[in-house]
Every structure is written in C-alpha cells, then in structure tokens.
Amino acid sequence: MAPATNSTDRTQRSKDRVIIFDTTLRDGEQSPGCSMNMEEKLRIAEQLDRMGVDVIEAGFPIASNGDFEAVREVARVVKNATVCALARAGRKDIDRAAEALQSRAGPKRIHTFISTSPLHMKHKLRMEPEQVYQAVIDSVGYARNLVDDVEWSCEDGSRTEHDFLCRTVEAAIRAGAGTINIPDTVGYATPDEFAALIAMLFNRVPNIDKAIISVHCHNDLGLAVANSLAAVKAGARQLECTINGIGERAGNAAMEEIVMALKTRHDRFGCDSVIVTEQIMRASRLLSSITGFAVQPNKAIVGANAFAHESGIHQDGMLKHAGTYEIMTPESVGLVKSTLVMGKHSGRHAFKTKLKDLGFELDDQALDDAFQRFKDLADRKKDVFDEDLVALVDDEVASGHDRIKFVALQVMCGSQGPQKATLALAVDGAERTVTATGNGPVDATFNAIKALFPHEAKLQLYQVHAVTEGTDAQAEVTVRLEEKGRTVNGLGADPDTLVASARAYLNALNRLLIKREKSAPAALSA
Ligand code: KIV
Ligand code: ZN
C-alpha cells in the first residue's frame, strides 16, 4: 500500500501549522434547530472555502438522501478545501461516503469512526474490545482502498483506556489512516488531562509520526476551546470545530475562538492556521441568518458586544490607546464600522456594490427583491445603516425558496381587546387572506398563520431585538417552533415588529416543512 496521505499536504507539513477541520455542516447541522437545506449548505461551504478552511466535513452520507446529495454537491462546488464525508465503521457506510465524493476532482477524505470507551463498546455497540480492534483495521483498510486520505476517530476517545487507545491508534495508522482524531465526545475532559492524553499518545504509539493528530472537543463543560488549545500545546495539529460553536448539545469548539486565540497568542502556542480571519464575521452572520440561531451578545469574537466599550473608564482608555482594552482589532475579524449607507435616492448599482462590500452576492431575482425592500425601508426609516441592510438581506435570502410567503398584514391592537390580525399569505403561489383574534397582537398574528396553514408545531421561543438604535429601528425577530421532537428556528426583520414576527414565524414554518421531508434513520448516531 502507498504511504498514507493527507490531502491537506499543500500547506500542512510545517510543524507550526494547525489544520482547521470545520464540521459545521455535519456535527453542527446535527444540533437541534440547525438543519439546513441543500442551497444553504452550499452557501456555508462556499464561505468556509473562501475563508481558507482546510477540511470541510460536508455530512454523513448514509444518514439520509438529503445528506448524501449535500455532500455530493459540496464536493462539486468547493474549490480548495478537502471535502470530507463521515462514515461509521461498516462497509455500507464507507461505500456511501465514497460514492458521495466520487465525482470530486479536488482533494477528498473519508472520515470513519467507532467508539473505543468501555461504556460505549459495552452499551452502545455491544461489542467486545477485540471486535472493535478488528473493525478499526477493516474499516480503515477498506476506506483506504477507495480514497487516499482517510481519517479515523475513536468516539469517546477521552474516556477510553490508555492501553486500548494506543493499540487502536497504532492499528489505524498501520491500516492507512493519515489523520487520527481523538474526540472528547461528551465534553468531559479538562485541559490538563486532555493535553496529557495527547502527550501520552505521542510517547507510546510507535508509528505516531506517520499521522496528523487531531482533536474534536464538545463544549458540555464550556471547555471545548480550552481543551483544543491544550491539545495543540501537546502536539495536535488538526482542530475540529464549527462556526459559532454550534453542534450536538452544548456544541463544538468554536472556530472563531480557536483561530483568534492561535493568532492573538502566538507567543504561547507558536502555531498558526491559514484562516482569513477578516472573513469570520461574515461566516458567523451567514450561519445565524441561515439557521435562525442568534449569537449571544457576549459571545467571544462574534458577539454583538465583543468589541463594544460601555463604561466611561474603558471608553476613556480606548480613546487614549486602543490597546488598553482591545487585544485584537474589530477589523481583524471582519467587523467594519457601522456606516450610514444610502438613502431612498440610491440606485440599484450602488445597492449592489454596497451588498458586495458587506459580503453578499445575490442572483438577479434576489437582488431585485432585496432592492425593492431597501426602497420601502428607506421610505420609512430616516437613516439606513449597514446593520439594516444585513438584516434585510438575511431575511430576504432566508425566505427566498419558501413555500409559504408573507404578503400583507394589518393589525388592530391597543388596550381594548380582542386584538385582531388580517393576514394575507401565498401558499405554493395561491394567495389567501384571513382575520384572526388573539390575546395580544402577536398572538393574533400567529393565530392567523395557523388558520391559513394549520399545523401542530408549538412555539418554544419568541425573541425581538432592535437592529440599530432609535424608535424607527428595524426589529429582528427569532421564533423557535417544535413539532414531534423536531426543532427549527426562524428569523424575520422589518421596521414593524409584527411584520417581522410574522416573517420569522413563517421562516420557521417553512424550515419545518423541509425537515418533515428529510427523514433520517433514528438509529444513526455520530
Ligand atoms: O463527537 C464525536 O465523537 C464525533 C465523532 C464522529 C468524531 O462527532
Ligand atoms: Zn462530535
């Protein structure tokens, strides 16, 4: 067999280079409320490629036809990154992953995994350790006959007995894995312990120098990024992560935090990624707008307050020297100063150019629709800022392919109830209108939606925030719906809070329809 390769070879072999493996489209997409349709996955994949991610884990092809198609399309459109497909240790899984990657001309990888901890082997797999050991050799060897670049993961690696971990890692490398990934699947490890585990592997596995050591940390104790960085200090050179830290349960290590920590504290880590950090905000916003998953304001790097200085003492310090309270510049993560954009006399060309500066490239139809909404907004709102445009375009893009579209809303509200909403929607192109009452204007609006499109979904979250300052600011509304264990988030923006609420509810409902169609076999887990 040819020596194990790793398709990220183009830049990785220097000792101080950390490979960024993004799993937003796989582990991230598995998290409640984060499912994406094909077009949305492609937009994320293109952004990941644009920002210089080394490996994009595009999905789990055996999980559903939707996942298979998504991996195939991502493999078709991504230009530079290695495109990776996940597979359990069985041959059917691995064949399906290889099939999804088949037409890819660029670099590709199969990532195969099996649990190695006593708990998982006994209760989840119901396999003896020797059977698991054999499955490692078979699965990696089988995958290596289909592609040159194979990654092997020991699920629940951080809770695996050391002797067994060393044996399986050695066997996986011998069978042809070029990357060995050690997951902290349940987010249980602490930084010192996890670094010691990686160091132990470097000390005890004889052929460890033939593979890149990777880590994949979950955030159950809020330690995913700290554990990933501790692993780098112990010799790991691939970090698995997601945009905004989305992922199963409490999420995965956040890519923006890992990348900016490596960059800002190069003095401590001595390692770098090749991520174009100025693309971070764009990626974060794109993901939020697609999933409707808002970023908490105090989230490191990409939160709305991450570069805001409120207290007088801090503001004074900042005016004297930015370094007093700022360890990295907002520009370095792609945060541009809020600027007054355009008024109602601005033309379509200027609008298009401005959107391009903000990171949006829309097709002609979407541009026309967004331009019309911008004109309406400029008529109603004195100053239109960058944030207004981002909210407006996010909303437009999020609802572009919806089956149920917002047409018009009139609401009667005030201290004398019942409040009343007259709503017009287009469902599969056919327009319908209804009037409904409710306990308040939002309730009346949502009741009108239910009357026009009956459904069983329960409202789990309703949240409003102002995009900019002032009473004429646009409202950005997030709605979370739940139906039979499926959760979806929707986003809507408008200067009228009730219109924004209706749009957000419809956005969530449209996502639910997609999710209903996309049936994943229940027994799968990753
Ligand atoms: O968390 C985990 O263990 C995983 C593996 C499939 C890498 O996601
Ligand atoms: Zn995971």
Side-chain angles (χ1 to χ4, degrees):
M1 187 198 306
T5 61
N6 184 309
S7 54
T8 55
D9 272 355
R10 57 196 166 107
T11 40
Q12 77 157 43
R13 288 297 178 186
S14 82
K15 273 170 62 188
D16 56 1
R17 164 90 159 79
V18 172
I19 296 164
I20 298 296
F21 176 115
D22 180 276
T23 184
T24 303
L25 296 176
R26 199 278 296 170
D27 217 330
E29 211 245 354
Q30 280 174 213
S31 58
C34 280
S35 59
M36 300 172 224
N37 65 29
M38 167 88 83
E39 193 247 334
E40 293 166 340
K41 285 185 181 178
L42 291 180
R43 287 173 57 217
I44 297 283
E46 279 170 342
Q47 175 60 17
L48 293 172
D49 204 26
R50 191 178 296 123
M51 69 197 291
V53 162
D54 299 284
V55 187
I56 298 174
E57 186 163 58
F60 192 7
I62 195 97
S64 68
N65 289 338
D67 257 49
F68 177 86
E69 292 301 335
V71 174
R72 202 156 64 169
E73 279 307 294
V74 170
R76 201 177 56 76
V77 303
V78 161
K79 294 197 181 79
N80 301 311
T82 295
V83 177
C84 174
L86 184 69
R88 290 171 301 188
R91 292 188 172 197
K92 259 171 92 175
D93 272 46
I94 296 170
D95 281 337
R96 196 76 175 136
E99 201 187 332
L101 294 172
Q102 202 166 28
S103 57
R104 175 147 180 85
K108 55 186 175 186
R109 172 181 297 183
I110 291 180
H111 174 193
T112 180
F113 72 99
I114 191 165
S115 293
T116 50
S117 69
L119 198 70
H120 275 221
M121 288 192 291
K122 184 167 177 201
H123 297 288
K124 182 180 128 167
L125 298 177
R126 302 209 169 103
M127 284 166 82
E128 291 300 322
E130 282 318 303
Q131 292 174 294
V132 170
Y133 180 74
Q134 203 47 54
V136 173
I137 298 169
D138 288 350
S139 56
V140 173
Y142 189 72
R144 261 312 295 281
N145 285 329
L146 301 173
V147 292
D148 288 338
D149 184 350
V150 174
E151 171 170 334
W152 177 72
S153 285
C154 42
E155 192 182 1
D156 208 17
S158 58
R159 295 193 298 172
T160 297
E161 284 171 353
H162 288 191
D163 287 352
F164 190 60
L165 189 62
C166 290
R167 274 187 74 211
T168 49
V169 167
E170 184 185 354
I173 297 173
R174 217 181 322 110
T179 302
I180 298 293
N181 181 42
I182 312 295
D184 181 27
T185 303
V186 290
Y188 181 69
T190 64
D192 56 338
E193 176 189 32
F194 200 53
L197 182 73
I198 302 302
M200 184 280 296
L201 290 172
F202 275 103
N203 285 332
R204 290 186 49 189
V205 176
N207 54 359
I208 195 101
D209 59 321
K210 305 265 181 320
I212 296 289
I213 299 304
S214 164
V215 295
H216 172 112
C217 298
H218 279 270
N219 205 29
D220 300 66
L221 293 173
L223 293 172
V225 170
N227 286 337
S228 305
L229 294 171
V232 167
K233 290 200 105 179
R237 287 295 176 270
Q238 175 176 287
L239 298 180
E240 302 200 354
C241 48
T242 58
I243 301 287
N244 295 343
I246 65 166
E248 286 275 11
R249 307 180 308 279
N252 289 62
M255 189 220 282
E256 59 279 6
E257 295 179 26
I258 284 177
V259 165
M260 290 314 287
L262 291 176
K263 183 170 175 163
T264 309
R265 297 310 309 269
H266 193 270
D267 58 325
R268 300 299 299 173
F269 298 108
C271 287
D272 255 327
S273 74
V274 292
I275 296 297
V276 182
T277 61
E278 291 77 10
Q279 290 287 335
I280 284 177
M281 278 313 297
R282 182 172 171 184
S284 168
R285 282 178 179 155
L286 180 66
L287 184 69
S288 295
S289 70
I290 284 178
T291 58
F293 229 76
V295 169
Q296 78 196 54
N298 61 332
K299 160 90 176 60
I301 317 294
V302 291
N305 292 352
F307 291 91
H309 302 276
E310 182 86 12
S311 93
I313 295 175
H314 288 205
Q315 285 176 353
D316 181 54
M318 286 290 294
L319 287 173
K320 288 174 177 147
H321 190 292
T324 50
Y325 289 101
E326 217 163 65
I327 58 167
M328 52 202 154
T329 63
E331 291 78 15
S332 68
V333 301
L335 200 66
V336 281
K337 287 229 159 34
S338 172
T339 50
L340 187 62
V341 273
M342 294 168 290
K344 57 182 168 185
H345 302 298
S346 306
R348 191 176 181 279
H349 184 71
F351 180 72
K352 186 177 175 184
T353 309
K354 184 72 198 177
L355 289 191
K356 203 158 176 228
D357 290 348
L358 290 170
F360 296 100
E361 274 169 74
L362 305 185
D363 62 36
D364 282 349
Q365 183 59 54
L367 185 71
D368 284 347
D369 294 346
F371 185 58
Q372 188 50 52
R373 283 187 66 182
F374 158 69
K375 285 285 189 191
D376 293 346
L377 182 66
D379 268 342
R380 293 155 75 189
K381 189 173 186 293
K382 198 162 108 278
D383 299 324
V384 179
F385 294 92
D386 285 355
E387 291 93 326
D388 287 312
L389 284 190
V390 171
L392 184 152
V393 176
D394 279 349
D395 183 299
E396 190 58 43
V397 171
S399 59
H401 298 278
D402 286 351
R403 272 186 61 198
I404 317 165
K405 285 188 189 290
F406 175 87
V407 177
L409 176 69
Q410 284 299 324
V411 179
M412 222 174 77
C413 62
S415 53
Q416 296 297 314
Q419 286 74 20
K420 225 188 249 178
T422 301
L423 176 73
L425 298 179
V427 181
D428 294 325
E431 214 168 297
R432 304 178 199 167
T433 304
V434 80
T435 297
T437 55
N439 189 10
V442 176
D443 192 40
T445 303
F446 291 176
N447 285 342
I449 295 177
K450 275 184 215 140
L452 288 175
F453 195 91
H455 57 274
E456 295 297 315
K458 301 261 172 308
L459 180 68
Q460 282 197 329
L461 175 113
Y462 170 77
Q463 203 168 275
V464 185
H465 94 268
V467 173
T468 55
E469 290 169 8
T471 49
D472 68 346
Q474 284 197 93
E476 192 166 53
V477 176
T478 306
V479 159
R480 184 174 305 152
L481 297 179
E482 188 271 334
E483 183 193 70
K484 295 188 183 140
R486 304 182 191 105
T487 326
V488 285
N489 290 303
L491 211 64
D494 197 273
D496 185 310
T497 308
L498 294 168
V499 173
S501 304
R503 286 185 180 279
Y505 195 105
L506 292 173
N507 185 229
L509 200 51
N510 279 296
R511 285 174 181 281
L512 202 56
L513 301 185
I514 295 168
K515 219 164 175 181
R516 276 185 196 163
E517 280 165 22
K518 186 181 154 182
S519 57
L524 281 176
S525 72

